Amino acid sequence: MSLDINKVVIKTSLTSCFGSHFKEVEGANAFIDELAEDAEEVSFAQGEYVFREKDAPEYVYIPESGSLMLERSTASGSRQVFAFLFTGNLAGLSENVSYSFSAKALTNCVVIRISRKLMQDIFDKYPAVAKRYHDVTGHILSLILDQLFIMGQKSAHQRLAHFLLDMEHRLGRGTHRFLLPMSRQDIADYLGMSLETASRGFSKLKKDGLISIESNYQITVTDSEKLISYAD
Amino acid sequence: MSLDINKVVIKTSLTSCFGSHFKEVEGANAFIDELAEDAEEVSFAQGEYVFREKDAPEYVYIPESGSLMLERSTASGSRQVFAFLFTGNLAGLSENVSYSFSAKALTNCVVIRISRKLMQDIFDKYPAVAKRYHDVTGHILSLILDQLFIMGQKSAHQRLAHFLLDMEHRLGRGTHRFLLPMSRQDIADYLGMSLETASRGFSKLKKDGLISIESNYQITVTDSEKLISYAD
DNA sequence: CAGCACACTTGATCATTATCAATGCGCCAT
DNA sequence: ATGGCGCATTGATAATGATCAAGTGTGCTG
């Protein structure tokens, strides 16, 4: 029984994730049923790794609740955060021999896990899904290029402003207020700056009246207009 | 007659490009024949654009001779170079509604152009090719993540060292000597630094005996060992 | 309720990198 | 040859950001 309920939950999540990407594809409901049949929910505590950089890429992951962070670390202790993933985002789509980053739970979370072998079967069965999946990969690639542009061309404070606008858009649910699930250090490692520089950026944006900081993690964008122009 | 000769040349190029990516795929020769049937050679003069950022992505391109640069510019005059493409590299694989960058000819060059519509037909006909194509996209994505890591975590001089090692690998044909097809400004825009910083990086690496600069563009790596450790 | 731990903030200083300016060098056309 | 042009180098200075070092909450634990 509880398994049946889980399947319904999984299917709802898959629909809200894949449905948005694949809704115009014929047989959309059929392939989501097949995915749901195989998909599993797995829980991770804050700080645990969902997968690691050198693992064989056996699964595709979708956060159902909670947030993930994709990162790469070096022996020398430096770390680059590649992306933050929230409910319904996808991870591990296009890895070949091994993941090229680790996925760490930012919060306690439940993650839907789909075997890549099954995905491949579905692609063979529904070529239109395979095509759309490739489009999704292309979209992710273009997001990373955006990030690369920002890293190469913008100052630290501008990068922080971009980041906050992105978070407002993805976490704000249509409002200007959102709760960040990551630390200042995570943000700094995402934007290629020191923790202190990130913190000073927050302080300056607050002092200038572009954002308000209700608590360390609870942010409101109080002047979108100015924040946007500040970011460019 | 000359058309037949062109087809042979195109087929040779396609084989050396796609063959390396797809050689283990069944029907590899068949699909390359079909590609060659449709592929066209197009020439561009140095500085011309092969395609622009906002164009509809109608083709996939492969330099047959000469080099390309993938870049994005803003109205305010800043520019990020995303990649340099040499003979046999691929451009425009995974663009959806529009290219997310422009491709500019670094040198006079001849480029093979394949319609994406044809590619799609071939994917439908040879699913194994579609799968490998997706793997290639995944590989490109991982290269961009490497670049993002370097941009976020390395100093300007380290980024330049990385760049030179990459160029040695891709242009050196097994030797330590290579001719750069791009200007100092192009390198600076690729690595997110000013022209002057790039130039100072060259001078320092030369002074420290890690590279020698025969002319502005003709470089030899004289101490790979040290250059590698300098890059980390 | 005290005190400790942890994350963030702020300050002071130093290193890196950008910017502005001048100079040098090779190449081409006259 | 010579002058000019485009690109690269080099120098001086300013801005940006990193690092080191206190301080400031805030929440948890005893």
Side-chain angles (χ1 to χ4, degrees):
Chain A
M1 282 303 104
S2 88
L3 213 155
D4 283 343
I5 289 173
N6 275 349
K7 287 297 175 204
V8 170
V9 171
I10 289 175
K11 209 176 138 183
T12 305
S13 293
L14 288 175
T15 305
S16 81
C17 171
F18 283 116
S20 65
H21 292 304
F22 298 108
K23 53 173 171 273
E24 76 283 10
V25 169
E26 73 245 53
N29 289 331
F31 92 80
I32 285 177
D33 284 346
E34 289 188 44
L35 281 180
E37 203 50 46
D38 182 80
E40 297 170 281
E41 287 178 322
V42 192
S43 293
F44 293 90
Q46 179 171 38
E48 285 185 333
Y49 281 92
V50 174
F51 57 82
R52 287 183 185 266
E53 190 177 340
K54 292 304 170 200
D55 293 349
E58 207 175 333
Y59 300 102
V60 170
Y61 295 91
I62 305 167
E64 184 176 291
S65 67
S67 311
L68 302 181
M69 173 170 63
L70 308 184
E71 60 175 43
R72 184 186 294 176
S73 299
T74 59
S76 53
S78 80
R79 179 181 69 144
Q80 179 66 35
V81 173
F82 290 132
F84 298 108
L85 265 55
F86 307 132
T87 304
N89 295 156
L90 282 158
L93 284 81
S94 50
E95 311 296 313
N96 299 331
V97 291
S98 67
Y99 293 110
S100 47
F101 42 75
S102 303
K104 191 176 187 177
L106 271 173
T107 61
N108 293 339
C109 61
V110 179
V111 177
I112 296 179
R113 181 175 92 173
I114 305 169
S115 107
R116 288 166 59 86
K117 202 167 142 310
L118 174 76
M119 296 290 287
Q120 193 54 55
D121 291 345
I122 286 179
F123 295 162
D124 293 342
K125 197 160 164 187
Y126 306 96
V129 174
K131 184 174 178 327
R132 277 297 289 141
Y133 190 79
H134 189 252
D135 289 348
V136 172
T137 304
H139 181 243
I140 290 173
L141 206 148
S142 86
L143 292 178
I144 297 176
L145 289 180
D146 291 348
Q147 185 63 15
L148 192 53
F149 182 94
I150 289 166
M151 295 289 280
Q153 300 305 317
K154 305 288 184 184
S155 73
H157 281 10
Q158 287 179 314
R159 297 202 296 277
L160 183 66
H162 266 283
F163 166 78
L164 289 170
L165 288 166
D166 184 34
M167 291 301 113
E168 179 193 20
H169 179 244
R170 293 171 64 194
L171 296 171
R173 305 165 162 279
T175 75
H176 298 298
R177 188 153 178 275
F178 51 94
L179 184 68
L180 293 173
M182 74 292 283
S183 70
R184 297 287 188 270
Q185 184 66 64
D186 295 333
I187 296 169
D189 288 346
Y190 177 61
L191 298 174
M193 63 185 69
S194 71
L195 161 66
E196 294 90 336
T197 298
S199 178
R200 280 183 239 272
F202 274 91
S203 299
K204 175 161 170 48
L205 290 173
K206 178 183 169 185
K207 186 169 72 66
D208 294 351
L210 309 200
I211 63 172
S212 82
I213 305 177
E214 281 103 54
S215 79
N216 277 341
Y217 301 101
Q218 184 71 59
I219 309 291
T220 302
V221 173
T222 48
D223 193 335
S224 301
E225 198 99 347
K226 269 195 201 157
L227 190 58
I228 290 167
S229 75
Y230 189 91
D232 297 318
Chain B
M1 284 304 104
S2 87
L3 211 155
D4 282 343
I5 288 173
N6 275 350
K7 287 298 173 201
V8 170
V9 170
I10 288 176
K11 209 177 138 183
T12 305
S13 292
L14 287 177
T15 305
S16 82
C17 172
F18 283 116
S20 65
H21 292 304
F22 298 108
K23 53 172 170 275
E24 76 283 11
V25 169
E26 74 245 55
N29 289 331
F31 92 79
I32 285 177
D33 284 346
E34 290 187 44
L35 281 180
E37 203 49 46
D38 182 79
E40 297 169 280
E41 287 177 323
V42 192
S43 293
F44 293 90
Q46 180 171 38
E48 284 185 334
Y49 282 92
V50 174
F51 57 82
R52 287 181 185 267
E53 192 177 338
K54 291 303 169 201
D55 293 349
E58 207 176 334
Y59 299 102
V60 170
Y61 294 90
I62 305 167
E64 184 176 291
S65 67
S67 311
L68 302 181
M69 174 169 63
L70 307 184
E71 61 175 43
R72 184 187 295 175
S73 299
T74 58
S76 53
S78 79
R79 179 182 69 145
Q80 179 66 34
V81 172
F82 290 132
F84 298 108
L85 265 55
F86 308 131
T87 305
N89 295 155
L90 282 158
L93 283 82
S94 50
E95 311 296 313
N96 299 331
V97 292
S98 67
Y99 293 110
S100 48
F101 42 75
S102 303
K104 190 176 187 177
L106 271 173
T107 61
N108 293 339
C109 61
V110 178
V111 176
I112 297 178
R113 182 175 91 172
I114 306 168
S115 111
R116 288 165 60 85
K117 202 166 141 311
L118 175 74
M119 295 290 286
Q120 192 54 55
D121 291 346
I122 286 178
F123 295 161
D124 293 342
K125 197 161 166 187
Y126 306 96
V129 174
K131 182 174 178 327
R132 277 297 289 142
Y133 190 80
H134 188 251
D135 289 349
V136 172
T137 304
H139 181 243
I140 289 173
L141 205 148
S142 86
L143 292 178
I144 296 175
L145 290 180
D146 292 347
Q147 185 64 15
L148 192 54
F149 182 94
I150 289 167
M151 295 289 278
Q153 301 304 318
K154 305 288 184 183
S155 73
H157 282 9
Q158 288 178 314
R159 297 202 296 278
L160 183 66
H162 266 282
F163 167 78
L164 288 170
L165 288 166
D166 183 35
M167 291 301 114
E168 179 195 19
H169 179 244
R170 294 170 65 195
L171 296 171
R173 305 165 162 280
T175 75
H176 297 298
R177 189 154 177 275
F178 51 93
L179 184 67
L180 293 173
M182 74 292 283
S183 71
R184 296 287 188 269
Q185 184 66 64
D186 295 333
I187 296 169
D189 288 346
Y190 176 60
L191 298 173
M193 63 185 70
S194 71
L195 160 68
E196 293 90 335
T197 297
S199 178
R200 280 183 237 273
F202 274 91
S203 298
K204 175 161 170 50
L205 290 173
K206 178 183 170 186
K207 187 169 73 65
D208 294 352
L210 309 199
I211 62 171
S212 82
I213 305 176
E214 281 102 54
S215 79
N216 276 341
Y217 300 101
Q218 183 73 57
I219 309 290
T220 303
V221 173
T222 48
D223 193 335
S224 301
E225 198 99 347
K226 269 194 202 161
L227 189 59
I228 290 167
S229 74
Y230 190 92
D232 297 319

